[in-house]
Amino acid sequence: IFDFDGTLVNSGNDLAISVNYMLEKLHLKPLEHQVIMSYIGDGVHKLIERSIGNTHQNDFDEAIKIFSEYYGKHMFDTTILYPGVKEVLNHFQEKKKIILTNKLHHYTLNIARHLEIDTLFDDIIGADSTAFIKPDQRVLTPILQKYDVEDDKAVVIGDGVNDIRLAKNSG
């Protein structure tokens, strides 16, 4: 079970540029890319919420709209696979492989298709694919059941605290 952003794909630059575009359109101060990167991992709603700050939450709906429209057109600008990803996925072609991400499903699927890795996975599950998101174990339990995988035979591969918590929460 693979995380997506920061694990399989280096998408931070496109996300950061999209956030700063949204902030500019809302007449808010742009953020350092490193700050935006620290906001990634809990889904787009948290990313936008954190980026616009507590004092501008009344702009949330407009912010999401601006971000989504821009990112939808620019998510392929600089996003690339990390080195060795395709080789690793091909090496484990006989294993069941799933992308489980807090990124929205359509973004994940579009990027995976664009980078030609979508067919290397048995399933791609985004934040809007289930009622729960990482690190809630209720997102993982149905996946393991669906693919008939015992808890202690599953491996969660990711770059963030949510991935570690998901694995620990799920045994």
Side-chain angles (χ1 to χ4, degrees):
I1 297 164
F2 291 86
D3 177 43
F4 195 63
D5 294 299
T7 300
L8 297 172
V9 300
N10 182 347
S11 57
N13 193 52
D14 287 337
L15 287 164
I17 290 169
S18 298
V19 165
N20 276 333
Y21 175 85
M22 174 265 305
L23 291 171
E24 178 186 322
K25 290 296 178 186
L26 294 174
H27 307 290
L28 299 174
K29 184 180 174 188
L31 299 170
E32 297 282 331
H33 280 211
Q34 288 299 84
V35 171
I36 296 168
M37 298 295 284
S38 73
Y39 295 163
I40 296 171
D42 295 311
V44 69
H45 287 93
K46 285 290 184 188
L47 172 63
I48 300 305
E49 198 175 276
R50 292 168 179 154
S51 297
I52 63 176
N54 292 335
T55 58
H56 298 284
Q57 290 303 309
N58 57 331
D59 293 324
F60 179 81
D61 290 340
E62 182 65 16
I64 270 282
K65 180 181 175 202
I66 294 167
F67 172 85
S68 297
E69 287 176 6
Y70 187 86
Y71 185 63
K73 295 174 185 171
H74 296 277
M75 68 177 115
F76 309 126
D77 289 356
T78 63
T79 293
I80 58 171
L81 288 175
Y82 281 109
V85 164
K86 252 193 186 163
E87 293 80 5
V88 168
L89 295 174
N90 284 323
H91 178 78
F92 291 107
Q93 64 186 339
E94 299 302 317
K95 300 287 184 186
K96 292 178 177 120
K97 293 180 297 304
I98 295 161
I99 293 173
L100 178 60
T101 178
N102 285 344
K103 186 184 208 81
L104 294 176
H105 180 261
H106 71 279
Y107 291 146
T108 308
L109 184 59
N110 286 339
I111 293 170
R113 282 181 179 156
H114 179 77
L115 298 175
E116 299 177 346
I117 61 168
D118 59 310
T119 59
L120 302 176
F121 291 92
D122 296 281
D123 209 345
I124 297 175
I125 301 166
D128 51 341
S129 301
T130 71
F132 308 101
I133 64 169
K134 296 184 297 181
D136 193 315
Q137 73 210 36
R138 293 174 290 181
V139 73
L140 187 53
T141 303
I143 296 168
L144 297 178
Q145 291 171 346
K146 177 179 177 180
Y147 291 98
D148 196 29
V149 175
E150 296 174 32
D151 294 356
D152 63 347
K153 300 292 182 195
V155 177
V156 176
I157 301 166
D159 68 312
V161 68
N162 282 335
D163 304 305
I164 294 167
R165 287 183 182 150
L166 174 68
K168 286 184 176 182
N169 292 345
S170 303

